[in-house]
Amino acid sequence: MARTPKASDGKPSGSTTSGASHDAGAAPEAARLPPREAIVEALMRLAAEQPWNDIEVGDIAREAGVSLAEFRDAYPSKGAVLGGFARMIDKQVLEGASDDLDDEPTRERLFDVLMRRLDAMDPYKPALRRIAFALRGDPLSLAALNQVALNSQRFMLASAGISTEGPLGRVKLQGVVIAFARVMEVWFEDDDPALARTMAALDREIRNGERFMERAEDVRRLTAPFRALAQSLAEGGRRRRRRERRDDDRQDDRNEDEGNPLGGDPAAAI
């Protein structure tokens, strides 16, 4: 599979001026960016140089040349800035899309989109490597970042002409998120300008994903009658329970804490 070429200045085609502010000593340039972009660039510069857990919101604001009030207006937290970074990369990739591969197989289109995403992320590679390592042992952060990745990959798949709707849409999305995370692990250690190892890993993950989705579709078709029966039984059970609740006057007087050790308040578990 051919790799999407970069522009002559070494930056991925379709990149915006925000990528130029990533170089060391670029804080004055970042200050001329809109606050949201300046904050993203500032965080990525800091993350490339120091541990993730040492970076405070005040540090990011100073590096970005914005006040804490402007920071708060743009993002609610340091982690939310990573979501802003993901959206910035999404925009670069989508703006760089073309119809050159419209007649190519789905595999080729997806390969091109995801390689363009890696190209757009390339200026931030040191920061992303350090962040990934720091958050590897934080399940809550990983869960939040997974949701960010799902949103990003939904648009990557759309750009490749791949549907994410239907019964297997969520499975398809989560599969691409996991596959791309595996490719990034290779990319972090791939110093070859041609990214031969990364491209081989991406090609392998896409082919594995194709085989998995074929099996999943076969299973979905085979189990369709059983799922229809289960749905019918569940709907009958819900109707029966609704009738029982209407006939049971005791429901009106029941203590809402009955049988609930948290007293009906989810916040009590915090």
Side-chain angles (χ1 to χ4, degrees):
M1 293 185 179
R3 183 183 175 201
T4 302
K6 293 184 180 181
S8 59
D9 61 357
K11 297 181 180 63
S13 58
S15 63
T16 64
T17 55
S18 61
S21 65
H22 178 68
D23 298 332
E29 173 67 20
R32 293 194 291 271
L33 294 170
R36 291 181 65 87
E37 292 183 36
I39 292 167
V40 167
E41 295 288 348
L43 175 59
M44 301 311 286
R45 284 196 302 276
L46 292 172
E49 300 167 357
Q50 55 187 280
W52 171 258
N53 290 329
D54 290 350
I55 302 172
E56 301 286 346
V57 292
D59 301 329
I60 304 170
R62 282 189 295 273
E63 179 72 15
V66 301
S67 68
L68 281 175
E70 289 175 305
F71 189 120
R72 181 61 183 87
D73 188 55
Y75 296 105
S77 66
K78 180 176 70 172
V81 182
L82 291 179
F85 171 78
R87 289 190 295 274
M88 184 182 79
I89 296 299
D90 295 345
K91 183 178 180 182
Q92 290 184 23
V93 176
L94 296 172
E95 287 179 343
S98 70
D99 56 4
D100 293 347
L101 297 177
D102 284 354
D103 296 330
E104 296 295 326
T106 300
R107 181 189 308 128
E108 296 287 345
R109 298 197 304 269
L110 182 57
F111 182 91
D112 178 74
V113 168
L114 296 182
M115 282 305 302
R116 284 193 285 114
R117 186 172 187 85
L118 289 173
D119 280 343
M121 292 162 56
D122 187 67
Y124 310 95
K125 193 173 187 177
L128 292 171
R129 182 190 292 118
R130 294 174 68 104
I131 292 170
F133 180 80
L135 298 182
R136 194 167 293 171
D138 186 344
L140 293 179
S141 294
L142 290 177
L145 288 177
N146 183 70
Q147 187 59 54
V148 171
L150 285 170
N151 292 334
S152 291
Q153 293 297 346
R154 179 177 290 108
F155 284 92
M156 298 301 100
L157 291 180
S159 182
I162 300 172
S163 172
T164 56
E165 300 300 325
L168 297 177
R170 182 78 178 193
V171 174
K172 192 182 302 181
L173 267 176
Q174 187 64 69
V176 172
V177 169
I178 294 172
F180 193 68
R182 290 172 178 160
V183 172
M184 284 184 63
E185 291 293 329
V186 177
W187 176 68
F188 285 145
E189 306 303 325
D190 191 355
D191 296 326
D192 177 8
L195 294 180
R197 289 173 54 209
T198 300
M199 289 194 295
L202 179 56
D203 183 54
R204 183 171 59 251
E205 291 291 343
I206 291 175
R207 291 179 184 276
N208 289 341
E210 285 179 328
R211 287 192 289 269
F212 175 81
M213 289 307 300
E214 289 171 358
R215 291 194 296 269
E217 181 61 31
D218 289 342
V219 171
R220 190 186 73 84
R221 286 195 298 266
L222 289 172
T223 59
F226 302 101
R227 286 185 284 109
L229 176 60
Q231 183 177 4
S232 176
L233 292 174
E235 289 175 352
R238 284 194 294 268
R239 287 194 296 268
R240 184 173 61 256
R241 286 192 294 273
R242 284 196 294 269
R243 288 196 300 269
E244 291 172 352
R245 283 197 295 269
R246 286 197 300 267
D247 295 338
D248 190 355
D249 294 335
R250 291 176 302 171
Q251 293 292 325
D252 296 335
D253 301 325
R254 188 182 61 183
N255 185 338
E256 66 176 4
D257 293 347
E258 182 180 347
N260 188 343
L262 300 181
D265 183 6
I270 297 174

mmCIF file with all atom_site columns, all heavy atoms in Angstrom, residues 116-133:
data_model
loop_
_atom_site.group_PDB
_atom_site.id
_atom_site.type_symbol
_atom_site.label_atom_id
_atom_site.label_alt_id
_atom_site.label_comp_id
_atom_site.label_asym_id
_atom_site.label_entity_id
_atom_site.label_seq_id
_atom_site.pdbx_PDB_ins_code
_atom_site.Cartn_x
_atom_site.Cartn_y
_atom_site.Cartn_z
_atom_site.occupancy
_atom_site.B_iso_or_equiv
_atom_site.pdbx_formal_charge
_atom_site.auth_seq_id
_atom_site.auth_comp_id
_atom_site.auth_asym_id
_atom_site.auth_atom_id
_atom_site.pdbx_PDB_model_num
ATOM 1   N N   . ARG A 1 116 ? -2.874 9.113  7.017  1.00 0.00 ? 116 ARG A N   1
ATOM 2   C CA  . ARG A 1 116 ? -2.915 10.575 7.063  1.00 0.00 ? 116 ARG A CA  1
ATOM 3   C C   . ARG A 1 116 ? -3.112 11.070 8.491  1.00 0.00 ? 116 ARG A C   1
ATOM 4   O O   . ARG A 1 116 ? -2.606 12.129 8.863  1.00 0.00 ? 116 ARG A O   1
ATOM 5   C CB  . ARG A 1 116 ? -4.016 11.110 6.141  1.00 0.00 ? 116 ARG A CB  1
ATOM 6   C CG  . ARG A 1 116 ? -3.632 11.064 4.672  1.00 0.00 ? 116 ARG A CG  1
ATOM 7   C CD  . ARG A 1 116 ? -4.565 11.856 3.778  1.00 0.00 ? 116 ARG A CD  1
ATOM 8   N NE  . ARG A 1 116 ? -5.829 11.178 3.565  1.00 0.00 ? 116 ARG A NE  1
ATOM 9   C CZ  . ARG A 1 116 ? -6.998 11.622 3.998  1.00 0.00 ? 116 ARG A CZ  1
ATOM 10  N NH1 . ARG A 1 116 ? -7.065 12.730 4.707  1.00 0.00 ? 116 ARG A NH1 1
ATOM 11  N NH2 . ARG A 1 116 ? -8.109 10.950 3.754  1.00 0.00 ? 116 ARG A NH2 1
ATOM 12  N N   . ARG A 1 117 ? -3.822 10.300 9.287  1.00 0.00 ? 117 ARG A N   1
ATOM 13  C CA  . ARG A 1 117 ? -3.982 10.676 10.695 1.00 0.00 ? 117 ARG A CA  1
ATOM 14  C C   . ARG A 1 117 ? -2.636 10.599 11.419 1.00 0.00 ? 117 ARG A C   1
ATOM 15  O O   . ARG A 1 117 ? -2.285 11.489 12.202 1.00 0.00 ? 117 ARG A O   1
ATOM 16  C CB  . ARG A 1 117 ? -5.009 9.767  11.363 1.00 0.00 ? 117 ARG A CB  1
ATOM 17  C CG  . ARG A 1 117 ? -5.348 10.197 12.793 1.00 0.00 ? 117 ARG A CG  1
ATOM 18  C CD  . ARG A 1 117 ? -6.505 9.425  13.389 1.00 0.00 ? 117 ARG A CD  1
ATOM 19  N NE  . ARG A 1 117 ? -6.866 10.010 14.684 1.00 0.00 ? 117 ARG A NE  1
ATOM 20  C CZ  . ARG A 1 117 ? -7.674 11.037 14.834 1.00 0.00 ? 117 ARG A CZ  1
ATOM 21  N NH1 . ARG A 1 117 ? -8.232 11.607 13.781 1.00 0.00 ? 117 ARG A NH1 1
ATOM 22  N NH2 . ARG A 1 117 ? -7.935 11.530 16.031 1.00 0.00 ? 117 ARG A NH2 1
ATOM 23  N N   . LEU A 1 118 ? -1.877 9.560  11.177 1.00 0.00 ? 118 LEU A N   1
ATOM 24  C CA  . LEU A 1 118 ? -0.555 9.447  11.792 1.00 0.00 ? 118 LEU A CA  1
ATOM 25  C C   . LEU A 1 118 ? 0.367  10.569 11.310 1.00 0.00 ? 118 LEU A C   1
ATOM 26  O O   . LEU A 1 118 ? 1.165  11.104 12.091 1.00 0.00 ? 118 LEU A O   1
ATOM 27  C CB  . LEU A 1 118 ? 0.061  8.084  11.481 1.00 0.00 ? 118 LEU A CB  1
ATOM 28  C CG  . LEU A 1 118 ? -0.583 6.889  12.178 1.00 0.00 ? 118 LEU A CG  1
ATOM 29  C CD1 . LEU A 1 118 ? 0.009  5.581  11.654 1.00 0.00 ? 118 LEU A CD1 1
ATOM 30  C CD2 . LEU A 1 118 ? -0.400 6.969  13.698 1.00 0.00 ? 118 LEU A CD2 1
ATOM 31  N N   . ASP A 1 119 ? 0.282  10.928 10.042 1.00 0.00 ? 119 ASP A N   1
ATOM 32  C CA  . ASP A 1 119 ? 1.079  12.040 9.532  1.00 0.00 ? 119 ASP A CA  1
ATOM 33  C C   . ASP A 1 119 ? 0.728  13.341 10.251 1.00 0.00 ? 119 ASP A C   1
ATOM 34  O O   . ASP A 1 119 ? 1.603  14.135 10.590 1.00 0.00 ? 119 ASP A O   1
ATOM 35  C CB  . ASP A 1 119 ? 0.861  12.206 8.031  1.00 0.00 ? 119 ASP A CB  1
ATOM 36  C CG  . ASP A 1 119 ? 1.662  11.216 7.207  1.00 0.00 ? 119 ASP A CG  1
ATOM 37  O OD1 . ASP A 1 119 ? 2.618  10.617 7.757  1.00 0.00 ? 119 ASP A OD1 1
ATOM 38  O OD2 . ASP A 1 119 ? 1.335  11.014 6.025  1.00 0.00 ? 119 ASP A OD2 1
ATOM 39  N N   . ALA A 1 120 ? -0.568 13.575 10.465 1.00 0.00 ? 120 ALA A N   1
ATOM 40  C CA  . ALA A 1 120 ? -0.998 14.789 11.161 1.00 0.00 ? 120 ALA A CA  1
ATOM 41  C C   . ALA A 1 120 ? -0.522 14.803 12.608 1.00 0.00 ? 120 ALA A C   1
ATOM 42  O O   . ALA A 1 120 ? -0.250 15.864 13.181 1.00 0.00 ? 120 ALA A O   1
ATOM 43  C CB  . ALA A 1 120 ? -2.525 14.908 11.105 1.00 0.00 ? 120 ALA A CB  1
ATOM 44  N N   . MET A 1 121 ? -0.398 13.623 13.218 1.00 0.00 ? 121 MET A N   1
ATOM 45  C CA  . MET A 1 121 ? 0.031  13.516 14.614 1.00 0.00 ? 121 MET A CA  1
ATOM 46  C C   . MET A 1 121 ? 1.551  13.548 14.766 1.00 0.00 ? 121 MET A C   1
ATOM 47  O O   . MET A 1 121 ? 2.061  13.696 15.875 1.00 0.00 ? 121 MET A O   1
ATOM 48  C CB  . MET A 1 121 ? -0.517 12.210 15.210 1.00 0.00 ? 121 MET A CB  1
ATOM 49  C CG  . MET A 1 121 ? -2.022 12.199 15.364 1.00 0.00 ? 121 MET A CG  1
ATOM 50  S SD  . MET A 1 121 ? -2.702 10.508 15.551 1.00 0.00 ? 121 MET A SD  1
ATOM 51  C CE  . MET A 1 121 ? -1.788 9.909  16.957 1.00 0.00 ? 121 MET A CE  1
ATOM 52  N N   . ASP A 1 122 ? 2.266  13.423 13.657 1.00 0.00 ? 122 ASP A N   1
ATOM 53  C CA  . ASP A 1 122 ? 3.720  13.263 13.720 1.00 0.00 ? 122 ASP A CA  1
ATOM 54  C C   . ASP A 1 122 ? 4.441  14.383 14.477 1.00 0.00 ? 122 ASP A C   1
ATOM 55  O O   . ASP A 1 122 ? 5.358  14.092 15.255 1.00 0.00 ? 122 ASP A O   1
ATOM 56  C CB  . ASP A 1 122 ? 4.289  13.127 12.309 1.00 0.00 ? 122 ASP A CB  1
ATOM 57  C CG  . ASP A 1 122 ? 5.775  12.792 12.321 1.00 0.00 ? 122 ASP A CG  1
ATOM 58  O OD1 . ASP A 1 122 ? 6.123  11.675 12.755 1.00 0.00 ? 122 ASP A OD1 1
ATOM 59  O OD2 . ASP A 1 122 ? 6.582  13.659 11.929 1.00 0.00 ? 122 ASP A OD2 1
ATOM 60  N N   . PRO A 1 123 ? 4.087  15.684 14.306 1.00 0.00 ? 123 PRO A N   1
ATOM 61  C CA  . PRO A 1 123 ? 4.791  16.718 15.063 1.00 0.00 ? 123 PRO A CA  1
ATOM 62  C C   . PRO A 1 123 ? 4.645  16.580 16.576 1.00 0.00 ? 123 PRO A C   1
ATOM 63  O O   . PRO A 1 123 ? 5.429  17.164 17.335 1.00 0.00 ? 123 PRO A O   1
ATOM 64  C CB  . PRO A 1 123 ? 4.146  18.021 14.565 1.00 0.00 ? 123 PRO A CB  1
ATOM 65  C CG  . PRO A 1 123 ? 3.558  17.677 13.243 1.00 0.00 ? 123 PRO A CG  1
ATOM 66  C CD  . PRO A 1 123 ? 3.112  16.253 13.368 1.00 0.00 ? 123 PRO A CD  1
ATOM 67  N N   . TYR A 1 124 ? 3.658  15.831 17.023 1.00 0.00 ? 124 TYR A N   1
ATOM 68  C CA  . TYR A 1 124 ? 3.362  15.695 18.448 1.00 0.00 ? 124 TYR A CA  1
ATOM 69  C C   . TYR A 1 124 ? 3.758  14.324 18.987 1.00 0.00 ? 124 TYR A C   1
ATOM 70  O O   . TYR A 1 124 ? 3.362  13.952 20.089 1.00 0.00 ? 124 TYR A O   1
ATOM 71  C CB  . TYR A 1 124 ? 1.866  15.929 18.679 1.00 0.00 ? 124 TYR A CB  1
ATOM 72  C CG  . TYR A 1 124 ? 1.346  17.181 18.030 1.00 0.00 ? 124 TYR A CG  1
ATOM 73  C CD1 . TYR A 1 124 ? 0.754  17.136 16.767 1.00 0.00 ? 124 TYR A CD1 1
ATOM 74  C CD2 . TYR A 1 124 ? 1.469  18.426 18.648 1.00 0.00 ? 124 TYR A CD2 1
ATOM 75  C CE1 . TYR A 1 124 ? 0.291  18.281 16.142 1.00 0.00 ? 124 TYR A CE1 1
ATOM 76  C CE2 . TYR A 1 124 ? 1.004  19.574 18.039 1.00 0.00 ? 124 TYR A CE2 1
ATOM 77  C CZ  . TYR A 1 124 ? 0.425  19.501 16.791 1.00 0.00 ? 124 TYR A CZ  1
ATOM 78  O OH  . TYR A 1 124 ? -0.027 20.645 16.181 1.00 0.00 ? 124 TYR A OH  1
ATOM 79  N N   . LYS A 1 125 ? 4.524  13.591 18.232 1.00 0.00 ? 125 LYS A N   1
ATOM 80  C CA  . LYS A 1 125 ? 4.851  12.210 18.588 1.00 0.00 ? 125 LYS A CA  1
ATOM 81  C C   . LYS A 1 125 ? 5.521  12.082 19.956 1.00 0.00 ? 125 LYS A C   1
ATOM 82  O O   . LYS A 1 125 ? 5.114  11.234 20.769 1.00 0.00 ? 125 LYS A O   1
ATOM 83  C CB  . LYS A 1 125 ? 5.743  11.603 17.506 1.00 0.00 ? 125 LYS A CB  1
ATOM 84  C CG  . LYS A 1 125 ? 5.911  10.091 17.582 1.00 0.00 ? 125 LYS A CG  1
ATOM 85  C CD  . LYS A 1 125 ? 6.677  9.612  16.353 1.00 0.00 ? 125 LYS A CD  1
ATOM 86  C CE  . LYS A 1 125 ? 6.757  8.119  16.250 1.00 0.00 ? 125 LYS A CE  1
ATOM 87  N NZ  . LYS A 1 125 ? 7.444  7.680  15.009 1.00 0.00 ? 125 LYS A NZ  1
ATOM 88  N N   . PRO A 1 126 ? 6.531  12.893 20.289 1.00 0.00 ? 126 PRO A N   1
ATOM 89  C CA  . PRO A 1 126 ? 7.138  12.758 21.624 1.00 0.00 ? 126 PRO A CA  1
ATOM 90  C C   . PRO A 1 126 ? 6.137  12.974 22.752 1.00 0.00 ? 126 PRO A C   1
ATOM 91  O O   . PRO A 1 126 ? 6.143  12.248 23.753 1.00 0.00 ? 126 PRO A O   1
ATOM 92  C CB  . PRO A 1 126 ? 8.228  13.841 21.620 1.00 0.00 ? 126 PRO A CB  1
ATOM 93  C CG  . PRO A 1 126 ? 8.552  14.046 20.182 1.00 0.00 ? 126 PRO A CG  1
ATOM 94  C CD  . PRO A 1 126 ? 7.252  13.885 19.461 1.00 0.00 ? 126 PRO A CD  1
ATOM 95  N N   . ALA A 1 127 ? 5.273  13.983 22.596 1.00 0.00 ? 127 ALA A N   1
ATOM 96  C CA  . ALA A 1 127 ? 4.276  14.246 23.635 1.00 0.00 ? 127 ALA A CA  1
ATOM 97  C C   . ALA A 1 127 ? 3.284  13.098 23.747 1.00 0.00 ? 127 ALA A C   1
ATOM 98  O O   . ALA A 1 127 ? 2.948  12.657 24.854 1.00 0.00 ? 127 ALA A O   1
ATOM 99  C CB  . ALA A 1 127 ? 3.537  15.549 23.325 1.00 0.00 ? 127 ALA A CB  1
ATOM 100 N N   . LEU A 1 128 ? 2.812  12.603 22.624 1.00 0.00 ? 128 LEU A N   1
ATOM 101 C CA  . LEU A 1 128 ? 1.833  11.520 22.646 1.00 0.00 ? 128 LEU A CA  1
ATOM 102 C C   . LEU A 1 128 ? 2.423  10.250 23.238 1.00 0.00 ? 128 LEU A C   1
ATOM 103 O O   . LEU A 1 128 ? 1.741  9.519  23.964 1.00 0.00 ? 128 LEU A O   1
ATOM 104 C CB  . LEU A 1 128 ? 1.331  11.249 21.225 1.00 0.00 ? 128 LEU A CB  1
ATOM 105 C CG  . LEU A 1 128 ? 0.485  12.368 20.613 1.00 0.00 ? 128 LEU A CG  1
ATOM 106 C CD1 . LEU A 1 128 ? 0.229  12.100 19.139 1.00 0.00 ? 128 LEU A CD1 1
ATOM 107 C CD2 . LEU A 1 128 ? -0.833 12.518 21.363 1.00 0.00 ? 128 LEU A CD2 1
ATOM 108 N N   . ARG A 1 129 ? 3.695  9.993  22.966 1.00 0.00 ? 129 ARG A N   1
ATOM 109 C CA  . ARG A 1 129 ? 4.352  8.819  23.539 1.00 0.00 ? 129 ARG A CA  1
ATOM 110 C C   . ARG A 1 129 ? 4.379  8.919  25.064 1.00 0.00 ? 129 ARG A C   1
ATOM 111 O O   . ARG A 1 129 ? 4.053  7.948  25.767 1.00 0.00 ? 129 ARG A O   1
ATOM 112 C CB  . ARG A 1 129 ? 5.773  8.695  22.993 1.00 0.00 ? 129 ARG A CB  1
ATOM 113 C CG  . ARG A 1 129 ? 6.510  7.453  23.509 1.00 0.00 ? 129 ARG A CG  1
ATOM 114 C CD  . ARG A 1 129 ? 7.981  7.507  23.152 1.00 0.00 ? 129 ARG A CD  1
ATOM 115 N NE  . ARG A 1 129 ? 8.208  7.374  21.707 1.00 0.00 ? 129 ARG A NE  1
ATOM 116 C CZ  . ARG A 1 129 ? 8.778  8.300  20.957 1.00 0.00 ? 129 ARG A CZ  1
ATOM 117 N NH1 . ARG A 1 129 ? 9.159  9.457  21.487 1.00 0.00 ? 129 ARG A NH1 1
ATOM 118 N NH2 . ARG A 1 129 ? 8.973  8.087  19.669 1.00 0.00 ? 129 ARG A NH2 1
ATOM 119 N N   . ARG A 1 130 ? 4.749  10.073 25.587 1.00 0.00 ? 130 ARG A N   1
ATOM 120 C CA  . ARG A 1 130 ? 4.823  10.253 27.040 1.00 0.00 ? 130 ARG A CA  1
ATOM 121 C C   . ARG A 1 130 ? 3.435  10.196 27.683 1.00 0.00 ? 130 ARG A C   1
ATOM 122 O O   . ARG A 1 130 ? 3.260  9.629  28.761 1.00 0.00 ? 130 ARG A O   1
ATOM 123 C CB  . ARG A 1 130 ? 5.516  11.569 27.368 1.00 0.00 ? 130 ARG A CB  1
ATOM 124 C CG  . ARG A 1 130 ? 6.981  11.611 26.974 1.00 0.00 ? 130 ARG A CG  1
ATOM 125 C CD  . ARG A 1 130 ? 7.561  12.995 27.194 1.00 0.00 ? 130 ARG A CD  1
ATOM 126 N NE  . ARG A 1 130 ? 7.633  13.306 28.602 1.00 0.00 ? 130 ARG A NE  1
ATOM 127 C CZ  . ARG A 1 130 ? 8.761  13.292 29.326 1.00 0.00 ? 130 ARG A CZ  1
ATOM 128 N NH1 . ARG A 1 130 ? 9.904  12.979 28.747 1.00 0.00 ? 130 ARG A NH1 1
ATOM 129 N NH2 . ARG A 1 130 ? 8.747  13.580 30.609 1.00 0.00 ? 130 ARG A NH2 1
ATOM 130 N N   . ILE A 1 131 ? 2.443  10.792 27.027 1.00 0.00 ? 131 ILE A N   1
ATOM 131 C CA  . ILE A 1 131 ? 1.086  10.774 27.575 1.00 0.00 ? 131 ILE A CA  1
ATOM 132 C C   . ILE A 1 131 ? 0.543  9.346  27.607 1.00 0.00 ? 131 ILE A C   1
ATOM 133 O O   . ILE A 1 131 ? -0.061 8.918  28.597 1.00 0.00 ? 131 ILE A O   1
ATOM 134 C CB  . ILE A 1 131 ? 0.165  11.689 26.737 1.00 0.00 ? 131 ILE A CB  1
ATOM 135 C CG1 . ILE A 1 131 ? 0.573  13.153 26.917 1.00 0.00 ? 131 ILE A CG1 1
ATOM 136 C CG2 . ILE A 1 131 ? -1.294 11.498 27.138 1.00 0.00 ? 131 ILE A CG2 1
ATOM 137 C CD1 . ILE A 1 131 ? -0.125 14.102 25.957 1.00 0.00 ? 131 ILE A CD1 1
ATOM 138 N N   . ALA A 1 132 ? 0.743  8.618  26.522 1.00 0.00 ? 132 ALA A N   1
ATOM 139 C CA  . ALA A 1 132 ? 0.252  7.234  26.462 1.00 0.00 ? 132 ALA A CA  1
ATOM 140 C C   . ALA A 1 132 ? 0.871  6.395  27.568 1.00 0.00 ? 132 ALA A C   1
ATOM 141 O O   . ALA A 1 132 ? 0.179  5.583  28.212 1.00 0.00 ? 132 ALA A O   1
ATOM 142 C CB  . ALA A 1 132 ? 0.561  6.631  25.093 1.00 0.00 ? 132 ALA A CB  1
ATOM 143 N N   . PHE A 1 133 ? 2.162  6.582  27.806 1.00 0.00 ? 133 PHE A N   1
ATOM 144 C CA  . PHE A 1 133 ? 2.829  5.819  28.862 1.00 0.00 ? 133 PHE A CA  1
ATOM 145 C C   . PHE A 1 133 ? 2.285  6.202  30.235 1.00 0.00 ? 133 PHE A C   1
ATOM 146 O O   . PHE A 1 133 ? 2.044  5.338  31.080 1.00 0.00 ? 133 PHE A O   1
ATOM 147 C CB  . PHE A 1 133 ? 4.340  6.073  28.812 1.00 0.00 ? 133 PHE A CB  1
ATOM 148 C CG  . PHE A 1 133 ? 5.111  5.322  29.866 1.00 0.00 ? 133 PHE A CG  1
ATOM 149 C CD1 . PHE A 1 133 ? 5.423  3.981  29.696 1.00 0.00 ? 133 PHE A CD1 1
ATOM 150 C CD2 . PHE A 1 133 ? 5.508  5.959  31.035 1.00 0.00 ? 133 PHE A CD2 1
ATOM 151 C CE1 . PHE A 1 133 ? 6.116  3.284  30.669 1.00 0.00 ? 133 PHE A CE1 1
ATOM 152 C CE2 . PHE A 1 133 ? 6.209  5.267  32.017 1.00 0.00 ? 133 PHE A CE2 1
ATOM 153 C CZ  . PHE A 1 133 ? 6.517  3.927  31.829 1.00 0.00 ? 133 PHE A CZ  1
#
